[in-house]
Amino acid sequence: VTTIQPGEVYNVPLDAPITGIRDSHHFHVTPDIDNYSPSFPSMSINKLKAGTHFFVSSQPPSTSHDQDNCYSAFSMRALSVRNPNRINLDEATHHKISIYPPLVIINKLPVTLRVQPSGMMLSRDLEPGERAHFREIDPIQDPYLVFRIINYHDMGFDWSGEFQINLNKFEEKNMQNVVMTASNNNVINKVSLTIVGKTNAGLQLSIYSSYWMVNCTGRTLKYQGIHDNSEILDPPSVQQPMMFSFIHTEKGKRRLRVKVDNSDWSEYFSIDTVGSSGSIRCQDADEFFYEIGVTISLSNIGLTNIVTFYPRFQVINELQIPILIKGELSKDYIECKCDKITPFWPGTKDDQCMVIKISKGKPTMAIPLDVTQQTVIRADCSNDNSCGFISIVVFVDVRTATTEIRVGMYYKGAAPVRIENLLSEGNICFKQQDSMHTVTVPKNNSILYTWDYPNKRRDLYWYVDGDGGNQKKGSFIKDSTSTFTYVDLFTQKRKKAQVVSFLDGLQRVLLFTDNPAIAECVGKEVITIEQAHLVVEINFMEPIGVSLVDSVPQEVTYLQADSSGAIWERKLKHRDRYKLLPNKISVELEEAFMADKTRVEFDGYVGDLSDREYMKLRMPNQSECLVRRTYLSAMWLQYTKSPSQTNLHFKMNRLQIDNQLPDYTFRHVFYPIKPPSHVIAAQPPKPFAEFCCVKQTTAVTEGDKEMSVLDHYKYVKMLIQEFHIKVDAGFLLSLMNFVKIANEEENEEVKDIENIQMDLKLSQTALDDREARGDGGPPVFLDEFHLSPLKMHVSFSPEILIDTSLINVEKDTLALYLSSFGIGVTNISDAVLKLAYYDATGQLVTVSQLQDRVVKHYIHQTLTQLYAVVFGLDIIGNPYSLAQNIKAGTKDLFYEPYQGIVQGPREFAEGVVIGVNSFLRHSVGGLVGAASKITRSVGKGLAKLTFDDNYQKQRNRRMAQKPSHIGEGLARGGKSLLMGMYHGVSGIVLKPKEGAQQEGVEGFFKGVGKGLVGAVTRPLGGISDMITYTIDGIHHHTQVDEKIDYLRHPRYIQPDKILRPYNTTQSEGKYFLQQVSRPRGWRDEYYHHSVLSNKSVFLLTDTKCMLLQYDDMVNEWKVDWHHPYNDVVKLPSLLGADEDAVGITFTVLMDPNAGVSRLFKNRRKKERIVILPSSLAARVMRTRFDNLVKTSHRKWTIRNQDTSCWDSCCRCL
């Protein structure tokens, strides 16, 4: 028919498959090289099934049987996929047939891999990231694949392993191991590699190692897994990562231990938690102490954990001369060369200080290494030919896994403080706490001060000479001004003076003066607010949303920031500013405003609303003030810029994120939680998130020369209110697919090579070869940096309900992420995590250092809260939530009456009622909720045992909708029980039949097993679900949960897959169609609908019309009746005149197997009448219904007439 180039798409003419069907029922695919024979077996178009794989082979020319000819059979793997862009032509074969090589192997190892399939003389060498296509493999046989790693790590011997694969039955979810062995001096070495397959584009096997061990310590390391007697040697001379695996250990019990040189083994530790870091300790026979930092990161290839080992302490010498270092308690010095990274081993466990010596000079004071700090010290080099002393700066950066120590020359601003004495009379004396050395600064002099003892408490105390009994602690953490008095030695009278702390470039300054003009001038410069020359304000007063649509296409999620309801503000006295009123007052004023009242009185407040432009409110014991009615915008941003200052202020009133996928466990992914009612009443509303930043830019000078610019952050604060986050694994997988498609490159092989080269670059074993982290850029000074505490309610479900064949992300990558955090066993419901605030005041840091400290802080806070996750598992009933409920109820039982007795007897009685009600509600609700979670988990486990993915998806979809009352819980529970018994009994017959249709004889026996197992598990699951529904109905009455409404229905994307603006009506109709429990085999596409009432919808699809009714008892939509368009014998007509039409009527042939027709096996006619909400709706429904019926009848005519008029009929369509 045609020749198709690699990567090309060819659309087969419509008459080609039809001719093939009538003549030979098959077609052939042949490689366009050297006269290969037609493929065998042939591919039959009329027998194609969506999602099926089949193999064809093409034989080489007959001359290829000569011994000198290397031709071999050419095998191909064909995948048939139903075309998603199909038209409404059911009888045509709308399939996309993709031709792939039968096997593709991708090398995701850090070394060269040699692959040789059985039956092939030639092998192929794959460099890291490369892939090879094997077209010569016989698909009928189960070939062996021989893998070989040549001279791994220059050890002088090869590693080899074999793997047998069934090309026809390889399951995508399956991960298999290949044990590579090597023999050296009669010692058998083993390493296990993992093979994972992907079948959506032919069979692609990726071979990778679960762990890469990167030794950056400069010493020989040995690794040993738990329950494994073998040791893996990793010498420092090896420049490649060491591949490692746990051969005899189950997942979840994997632990590793390490030894350094000839030391003892360390404690066992896990290497599965991606993103974690820490340190391990070893000690040798001479009691020499080794501390090693460990970081665990996920590789760019997505399947391998890179475990990197560092020396805990790393010294970077930025001086122009070499230095000697040692621990405070050690004897031997280590040489640090210029511009080199030197591992530093203190030697003892308690030695957390370092001493520096230059050449033959005296050692410096001990520098602490257990806290991030910067120290200026004097280094003695008097025995050197250069000079007597030099000032050096030592910066210690303590991180989770490593401590980086930088030694460099002194620079302006490095000293802890500069003290300037501008007192008219009197000397300033100061000293470090616990130090006997006192420094005196005469009047009109200044001095740069550094700590006498860097390893002691760093507090500075000062006093005025002659007033030594009045010592004060010097505060130079941030900009400030304070007043003090001292005794003037000449007048013997106490004199008033000021001390001002401010930043001069990089240098912190303490200025003492008794001249108010000087103090005021310096103070104004410190706190001055400049006139802005640029003001940008962005205000989203109405809700604003963002929709994420992937490449399927389908809407994944929808984000929306909402504005608030009406709120009231009062004008501040003598200021042109307004302040929010408490919610209780706002509610009273709003009710009066909506009722058009001119005067309102409540709780001592008197409001005058007669003049809507100048409304007034008199508060108790206060004067009258103006009030106004307004609301909080969805998002508000203000940016101001002046010559040296930048201000940024951002507010978001409310954020909600909804899961828009058709199958989900949680519909609402993210939403804020309302504060308690007494907090809402007493306080004004607050935005969900608020961020404020004030930055001042200061020029740093050296003499008369301007050197650089320092960013001085005077005020940085962020506030985030309490929120709930609920995600399931399917939603996370869809988000990963969305991100991957957005960053997808055209050539996957090039992308694999680039990713693995990046991993190899990050896995350099020599410290000097690795990219130096540096100091993270120029430093910034933080006056006040505050991140609010976070309180989040976390819910997670490991269920994947989406169709994974539509996405382009490997589930193993997500599983690796989840397993690394210990997630994936069962559901987590409402686990409360409380993370403390982060605060930094008066610190000079770089951006990367600040980022590292913030991440470290929140990781530590999360780890301390893991008990909430562990005790929040549904399988054990979420005891943490139960305890929190009982705690809240007990608190209200005593707090509410106490709060009421302060106000009066009536309030006390109300408090007793509220407290008892809350105690009973929380206690009973907590116990019932715990029982519900246990039975829900049991039902989920029983559903897993049915081995029926469709049944599990339907059950999860049902269980996601919790009953709203006890009656609904009983009704839905009874339905679950009956359906479980029905499916259990019917599965004994239906499952073998389905298996035989899909997989032949083998599928039949699989179906027998599924049917027998389902006969037990499905009724038991129905009983468990019945109990769960009943308990959920009771639990609903004990809770006063905030009801979260859907932002909007998921976007409807038409069958042509063209993305159009959001249509509310179409999305609503698609939502109704998805909510209906449809029989298997229905593939209806939404066309049009009309809402008849709150519980009735008339809907048109591409194949049938149907009436939907809402069942209050089970809280779901059901199909009341439906008719295919071919059964419509009378076209729809209007009820009444065009302008006064109230509905439509049409006549249909009833199903011969339904109702009275079943007795006589005939098709009786019946008239259907649909009353529509308006005449316009009736006319639109009649027109669209009429078009669908006529199109369907033409298709029926084409299907049943002679095919000689096929072309003309297609032209008519």
Side-chain angles (χ1 to χ4, degrees):
V1 179
T2 188
T3 300
I4 307 174
Q5 299 299 324
E8 188 178 79
V9 177
Y10 177 71
N11 295 315
V12 182
L14 192 59
D15 57 347
I18 298 303
T19 304
I21 290 175
R22 294 180 64 85
D23 297 341
S24 56
H25 298 271
H26 59 264
F27 67 98
H28 303 272
V29 179
T30 303
D32 190 26
I33 51 174
D34 296 330
N35 298 320
Y36 268 77
S37 63
S39 61
F40 181 83
S42 60
M43 289 184 279
S44 178
I45 293 182
N46 61 333
K47 295 182 180 181
L48 291 179
K49 293 182 179 179
T52 57
H53 294 270
F54 48 92
F55 291 93
V56 294
S57 298
S58 183
Q59 297 298 322
S62 57
T63 57
S64 64
H65 295 290
D66 300 337
Q67 293 183 355
D68 296 335
N69 211 317
C70 59
Y71 285 102
S72 59
F74 195 99
S75 300
M76 290 160 283
R77 180 187 183 97
L79 171 63
S80 175
V81 180
R82 188 174 181 85
N83 189 353
N85 298 327
R86 64 186 180 88
I87 59 176
N88 293 325
L89 207 61
D90 294 338
E91 66 280 355
T93 308
H94 303 285
H95 283 266
K96 178 182 178 181
I97 304 173
S98 302
I99 307 297
Y100 302 100
L103 178 63
V104 178
I105 296 180
I106 307 172
N107 178 19
K108 294 190 176 181
L109 301 175
V111 294
T112 303
L113 179 68
R114 180 171 294 174
V115 184
Q116 183 176 3
S118 58
M120 293 180 59
M121 299 298 295
L122 299 177
S123 60
R124 299 187 187 180
D125 290 347
L126 303 180
E127 295 297 325
E130 289 186 351
R131 63 181 62 194
H133 296 189
F134 292 89
R135 306 179 185 87
E136 300 84 4
I137 289 182
D138 187 356
I140 300 177
Q141 303 295 330
D142 293 340
Y144 278 94
L145 301 176
V146 179
F147 299 104
R148 190 178 300 275
I149 301 175
I150 308 299
N151 197 16
Y152 176 50
H153 275 198
D154 299 325
M155 296 179 181
F157 52 88
D158 300 340
W159 297 66
S160 62
E162 290 187 353
F163 175 71
Q164 186 176 14
I165 180 172
N166 188 321
L167 299 179
N168 294 287
K169 299 179 181 179
F170 191 90
E171 297 182 3
E172 184 171 352
K173 299 179 182 179
N174 193 16
M175 299 174 64
Q176 302 185 27
N177 295 330
V178 178
V179 178
M180 308 290 289
T181 59
S183 177
N184 181 31
N185 297 328
N186 297 324
V187 177
I188 303 298
N189 299 284
K190 294 182 179 181
V191 63
S192 177
L193 305 180
T194 306
I195 292 179
V196 60
K198 192 165 111 177
T199 58
N200 59 344
L203 181 56
Q204 296 183 0
L205 297 183
S206 298
I207 181 167
Y208 68 95
S209 174
S210 299
Y211 306 95
W212 290 4
M213 318 299 278
V214 182
N215 180 7
C216 297
T217 63
R219 294 180 178 268
T220 300
L221 298 182
K222 292 182 181 179
Y223 314 119
Q224 187 180 64
I226 193 170
H227 303 149
D228 194 351
N229 296 325
S230 61
E231 299 179 3
I232 306 298
L233 183 68
D234 192 357
S237 59
V238 175
Q239 297 300 313
Q240 294 176 331
M242 174 73 69
M243 294 184 293
F244 181 80
S245 62
F246 294 93
I247 299 179
H248 304 295
T249 308
E250 298 178 2
K251 193 172 183 180
K253 300 180 180 179
R254 297 174 179 176
R255 297 290 186 272
L256 178 77
R257 63 179 181 176
V258 178
K259 68 163 54 177
V260 184
D261 294 336
N262 295 319
S263 72
D264 297 331
W265 289 102
S266 69
E267 297 291 334
Y268 284 104
F269 61 96
S270 173
I271 56 175
D272 285 329
T273 307
V274 174
S276 65
S277 57
S279 61
I280 58 175
R281 297 173 178 177
C282 306
Q283 191 172 4
D284 62 11
D286 298 330
E287 296 186 354
F288 191 87
F289 183 76
Y290 296 96
E291 188 170 3
I292 301 174
V294 184
T295 62
I296 305 171
S297 59
L298 186 66
S299 63
N300 287 285
I301 61 178
L303 298 171
T304 300
N305 283 3
I306 301 179
V307 185
T308 308
F309 298 89
Y310 299 94
R312 182 67 175 90
F313 301 98
Q314 304 171 22
V315 180
I316 304 173
N317 182 11
E318 297 178 344
L319 298 173
Q320 299 302 316
I321 54 176
I323 61 175
L324 300 175
I325 59 173
K326 76 177 186 67
E328 184 182 17
L329 306 178
S330 302
K331 297 180 180 179
D332 300 328
Y333 282 94
I334 302 172
E335 182 181 8
C336 293
K337 297 181 179 180
C338 304
D339 296 325
K340 294 291 184 180
I341 303 177
T342 304
F344 174 55
W345 310 95
T348 61
K349 180 178 180 180
D350 300 326
D351 196 353
Q352 294 293 315
C353 293
M354 184 183 74
V355 175
I356 301 175
K357 188 172 74 168
I358 299 178
S359 186
K360 298 180 181 180
K362 296 180 180 180
T364 64
M365 300 298 293
I367 304 165
L369 304 179
D370 56 350
V371 63
T372 298
Q373 44 85 21
Q374 179 175 290
T375 305
V376 177
I377 57 175
R378 288 198 316 165
D380 180 14
C381 53
S382 57
N383 292 330
D384 202 349
N385 295 327
S386 55
C387 61
F389 292 90
I390 61 173
S391 295
I392 60 177
V393 180
V394 181
F395 179 74
V396 180
D397 184 12
V398 179
R399 307 197 178 192
T400 308
T402 60
T403 298
E404 190 178 88
I405 308 157
R406 290 182 173 271
V407 182
M409 291 298 296
Y410 172 82
Y411 58 89
K412 184 178 179 180
V417 65
R418 184 176 80 227
I419 299 177
E420 296 186 355
N421 183 5
L422 299 183
L423 296 177
S424 58
E425 296 293 339
N427 301 329
I428 300 296
C429 302
F430 59 92
K431 67 171 186 175
Q432 182 181 358
Q433 185 180 2
D434 300 330
S435 173
M436 301 302 295
H437 180 235
T438 301
V439 180
T440 301
V441 183
K443 65 178 182 179
N444 298 324
N445 279 272
S446 67
I447 188 174
L448 291 172
Y449 176 77
T450 188
W451 304 108
D452 296 329
Y453 302 98
N455 60 337
K456 291 186 178 180
R457 187 178 181 89
R458 297 187 178 188
D459 288 335
L460 186 67
Y461 286 85
W462 61 271
Y463 60 91
V464 179
D465 194 9
D467 196 15
N470 190 19
Q471 291 189 7
K472 298 179 178 62
K473 185 176 179 179
S475 176
F476 51 92
I477 299 299
K478 59 181 181 179
D479 293 348
S480 63
T481 301
S482 60
T483 302
F484 68 97
T485 60
Y486 70 98
V487 178
D488 191 332
L489 296 179
F490 290 95
T491 62
Q492 295 299 316
K493 294 182 179 179
R494 300 203 71 83
K495 200 171 184 178
K496 190 176 181 180
Q498 288 84 28
V499 55
V500 183
S501 173
F502 64 96
L503 202 65
D504 180 17
L506 295 175
Q507 183 63 65
R508 172 60 61 181
V509 179
L510 271 181
L511 184 144
F512 296 84
T513 180
D514 50 13
N515 188 337
I518 296 176
E520 184 179 1
C521 180
V522 176
K524 280 185 177 180
E525 190 155 333
V526 169
I527 61 174
T528 183
I529 299 178
E530 300 175 340
Q531 182 68 32
H533 61 74
L534 174 64
V535 178
V536 178
E537 185 171 324
I538 302 175
N539 193 356
F540 294 97
M541 294 181 288
E542 296 296 330
I544 178 174
V546 177
S547 172
L548 301 184
V549 180
D550 61 14
S551 60
V552 174
Q554 63 181 355
E555 189 173 46
V556 178
T557 182
Y558 182 71
L559 306 81
Q560 180 170 299
D562 291 324
S563 56
S564 69
I567 58 174
W568 289 74
E569 299 176 327
R570 67 180 178 91
K571 187 177 181 181
L572 299 178
K573 190 175 182 181
H574 306 305
R575 300 179 67 180
D576 193 19
R577 288 182 55 195
Y578 282 82
K579 182 179 180 180
L580 289 172
L581 289 169
N583 189 68
K584 181 179 180 180
I585 302 175
S586 293
V587 170
E588 295 287 349
L589 292 175
E590 180 65 17
E591 290 178 354
F593 182 87
M594 297 303 295
D596 290 332
K597 294 181 179 180
T598 59
R599 183 178 176 85
V600 59
E601 295 184 17
F602 57 94
D603 299 336
Y605 293 87
V606 179
D608 181 7
L609 310 182
S610 57
D611 188 349
R612 293 303 169 95
E613 293 186 3
Y614 297 97
M615 294 181 288
K616 300 176 183 179
L617 176 68
R618 182 181 296 277
M619 306 176 70
N621 302 323
Q622 294 187 23
S623 60
E624 195 174 59
C625 62
L626 293 176
V627 293
R628 69 179 182 183
R629 183 175 182 265
T630 182
Y631 58 91
L632 296 178
S633 301
M635 283 196 300
W636 176 82
L637 174 68
Q638 186 183 62
Y639 174 83
T640 60
K641 178 72 176 174
S642 63
S644 63
Q645 286 188 354
T646 303
N647 298 344
L648 180 66
H649 196 183
F650 170 78
K651 292 181 182 180
M652 178 184 291
N653 178 62
R654 187 181 185 276
L655 176 66
Q656 181 175 331
I657 304 176
D658 280 357
N659 184 351
Q660 301 291 80
L661 297 172
D663 297 309
Y664 55 84
T665 303
F666 304 109
R667 180 62 188 270
H668 307 295
V669 177
F670 182 97
Y671 59 89
I673 296 177
K674 284 187 177 181
S677 56
H678 64 275
V679 175
I680 295 177
Q683 296 182 0
K686 294 181 179 180
F688 165 70
E690 184 173 5
F691 176 79
C692 185
C693 174
V694 179
K695 183 183 75 170
Q696 182 173 347
T697 304
T698 306
V700 180
T701 60
E702 184 172 340
D704 297 331
K705 182 180 179 182
E706 185 172 311
M707 300 297 294
S708 59
V709 173
L710 174 68
D711 289 335
H712 184 180
Y713 288 90
K714 291 181 172 293
Y715 183 88
V716 178
K717 282 196 175 184
M718 184 177 69
L719 169 69
I720 298 179
Q721 303 288 349
E722 185 179 1
F723 61 89
H724 209 147
I725 180 168
K726 302 179 178 181
V727 293
D728 56 63
F731 179 75
L732 293 178
L733 206 61
S734 297
L735 282 184
M736 292 173 63
N737 178 63
F738 176 82
V739 174
K740 182 175 181 180
I741 295 300
N743 301 322
E744 191 176 49
E745 297 182 19
E746 294 183 0
N747 194 325
E748 290 187 4
E749 184 172 2
V750 173
K751 184 177 179 180
D752 287 339
I753 295 175
E754 290 179 353
N755 285 338
I756 205 166
Q757 290 299 326
M758 292 172 61
D759 292 333
L760 290 173
K761 185 177 181 181
L762 293 174
S763 303
Q764 295 292 331
T765 57
L767 284 176
D768 290 331
D769 292 339
R770 301 175 66 87
E771 293 183 358
R773 288 178 292 179
D775 57 1
V780 297
F781 191 85
L782 304 177
D783 253 2
E784 190 173 357
F785 183 89
H786 180 86
L787 303 180
S788 70
L790 295 178
K791 184 177 181 181
M792 60 185 79
H793 299 244
V794 180
S795 299
F796 174 79
S797 172
E799 297 295 333
I800 300 178
L801 305 180
I802 62 174
D803 187 358
T804 55
S805 64
L806 300 177
I807 61 177
N808 194 29
V809 173
E810 297 179 3
K811 289 181 286 186
D812 302 317
T813 304
L814 177 63
L816 182 61
Y817 269 114
L818 297 179
S819 63
S820 67
F821 292 101
I823 300 174
V825 178
T826 184
N827 290 10
I828 299 173
S829 295
D830 201 20
V832 182
L833 299 182
K834 301 177 182 179
L835 310 184
Y837 67 89
Y838 177 81
D839 188 80
T841 304
Q843 296 185 11
L844 184 67
V845 296
T846 64
V847 175
S848 66
Q849 291 167 2
L850 178 62
Q851 180 181 355
D852 186 73
R853 293 178 192 179
V854 172
V855 172
K856 178 182 176 182
H857 168 79
Y858 283 112
I859 288 177
H860 174 72
Q861 290 294 317
T862 303
L863 292 177
T864 59
Q865 294 282 313
L866 283 182
Y867 69 89
V869 177
V870 174
F871 290 103
L873 298 177
D874 282 2
I875 192 66
I876 57 176
N878 196 349
Y880 179 80
S881 178
L882 173 60
Q884 291 295 105
N885 277 319
I886 295 178
K887 176 183 175 182
T890 305
K891 178 183 176 181
D892 290 343
L893 180 63
F894 295 97
Y895 179 75
E896 292 292 342
Y898 171 77
Q899 191 178 32
I901 200 172
V902 176
Q903 301 177 8
R906 179 181 177 183
E907 287 76 9
F908 171 73
E910 292 178 355
V912 171
V913 174
I914 295 174
V916 172
N917 181 44
S918 175
F919 176 75
L920 294 175
R921 180 165 48 85
H922 282 93
S923 301
V924 176
L927 291 171
V928 172
S932 170
K933 291 178 175 62
I934 294 175
T935 56
R936 187 180 294 269
S937 298
V938 172
K940 174 184 171 183
L942 292 171
K944 289 279 188 183
L945 294 177
T946 62
F947 305 102
D948 189 339
D949 292 337
N950 291 328
Y951 173 76
Q952 294 176 37
K953 286 185 178 181
Q954 292 175 2
R955 178 192 175 274
N956 289 326
R957 193 181 293 114
R958 292 196 313 268
M959 300 301 290
Q961 305 293 332
K962 294 186 178 181
S964 57
H965 51 82
I966 298 178
E968 181 184 342
L970 292 172
R972 296 177 68 176
K975 179 181 177 181
S976 295
L977 175 62
L978 294 176
M979 294 300 293
M981 298 178 65
Y982 168 76
H983 287 298
V985 175
S986 63
I988 299 176
V989 179
L990 297 180
K991 289 301 176 182
K993 179 181 177 182
E994 293 177 2
Q997 292 175 346
Q998 296 176 1
E999 302 182 37
V1001 178
E1002 184 177 354
F1004 172 79
F1005 287 104
K1006 286 183 179 180
V1008 171
K1010 290 181 180 180
L1012 294 177
V1013 172
V1016 178
T1017 57
R1018 292 183 191 235
L1020 292 178
I1023 296 174
S1024 176
D1025 291 345
M1026 180 187 67
I1027 298 174
T1028 302
Y1029 276 128
T1030 305
I1031 295 176
D1032 281 344
I1034 300 173
H1035 183 253
H1036 181 81
H1037 281 275
T1038 65
Q1039 300 298 309
V1040 187
D1041 295 332
E1042 177 188 1
K1043 184 179 180 181
I1044 307 298
D1045 295 326
Y1046 298 154
L1047 294 174
R1048 70 180 194 186
H1049 294 302
R1051 178 189 297 271
Y1052 173 60
I1053 299 176
Q1054 298 183 16
D1056 57 12
K1057 307 303 180 184
I1058 297 176
L1059 196 61
R1060 296 176 174 85
Y1062 183 81
N1063 187 298
T1064 304
T1065 303
Q1066 293 179 353
S1067 299
E1068 181 186 53
K1070 180 66 174 179
Y1071 171 78
F1072 285 134
L1073 186 60
Q1074 288 178 342
Q1075 295 304 304
V1076 174
S1077 298
R1078 292 175 287 174
R1080 182 176 298 180
W1082 276 26
R1083 294 182 180 178
D1084 298 74
E1085 284 289 344
Y1086 166 79
Y1087 188 76
H1088 184 64
H1089 82 287
S1090 181
V1091 178
L1092 310 182
S1093 65
N1094 293 334
K1095 300 180 181 180
S1096 181
V1097 175
F1098 183 64
L1099 190 142
L1100 304 178
T1101 70
D1102 58 342
T1103 61
K1104 59 179 68 70
C1105 62
M1106 61 184 73
L1107 181 68
L1108 310 182
Q1109 297 285 353
Y1110 186 76
D1111 192 336
D1112 289 322
M1113 187 60 66
V1114 295
N1115 194 24
E1116 63 181 28
W1117 289 90
K1118 294 183 178 180
V1119 178
D1120 188 35
W1121 51 259
H1122 66 90
H1123 299 289
Y1125 296 129
N1126 291 336
D1127 291 345
V1128 178
V1129 295
K1130 181 181 178 182
L1131 292 176
S1133 59
L1134 294 176
L1135 286 175
D1138 287 349
E1139 298 299 329
D1140 300 324
V1142 296
I1144 62 172
T1145 178
F1146 56 95
T1147 304
V1148 297
L1149 290 175
M1150 297 300 293
D1151 187 350
N1153 296 318
V1156 181
S1157 301
R1158 179 183 300 178
L1159 300 176
F1160 304 100
K1161 293 300 180 182
N1162 63 350
R1163 307 196 67 182
R1164 60 188 179 88
K1165 295 181 180 181
K1166 184 173 182 178
E1167 183 181 14
R1168 292 290 189 186
I1169 298 176
V1170 180
I1171 305 301
L1172 294 164
S1174 65
S1175 60
L1176 177 62
R1179 293 195 301 271
V1180 173
M1181 181 65 70
R1182 192 273 306 268
T1183 302
R1184 299 195 175 187
F1185 197 175
D1186 186 88
N1187 292 336
L1188 287 171
V1189 172
K1190 291 179 179 178
T1191 303
S1192 177
H1193 277 251
R1194 287 202 302 268
K1195 287 162 52 180
W1196 184 87
T1197 305
I1198 294 172
R1199 188 165 56 245
N1200 291 275
Q1201 69 179 355
D1202 188 80
T1203 56
S1204 59
C1205 65
W1206 176 270
D1207 292 337
S1208 60
C1209 292
C1210 287
R1211 285 194 292 271
C1212 294
L1213 286 177

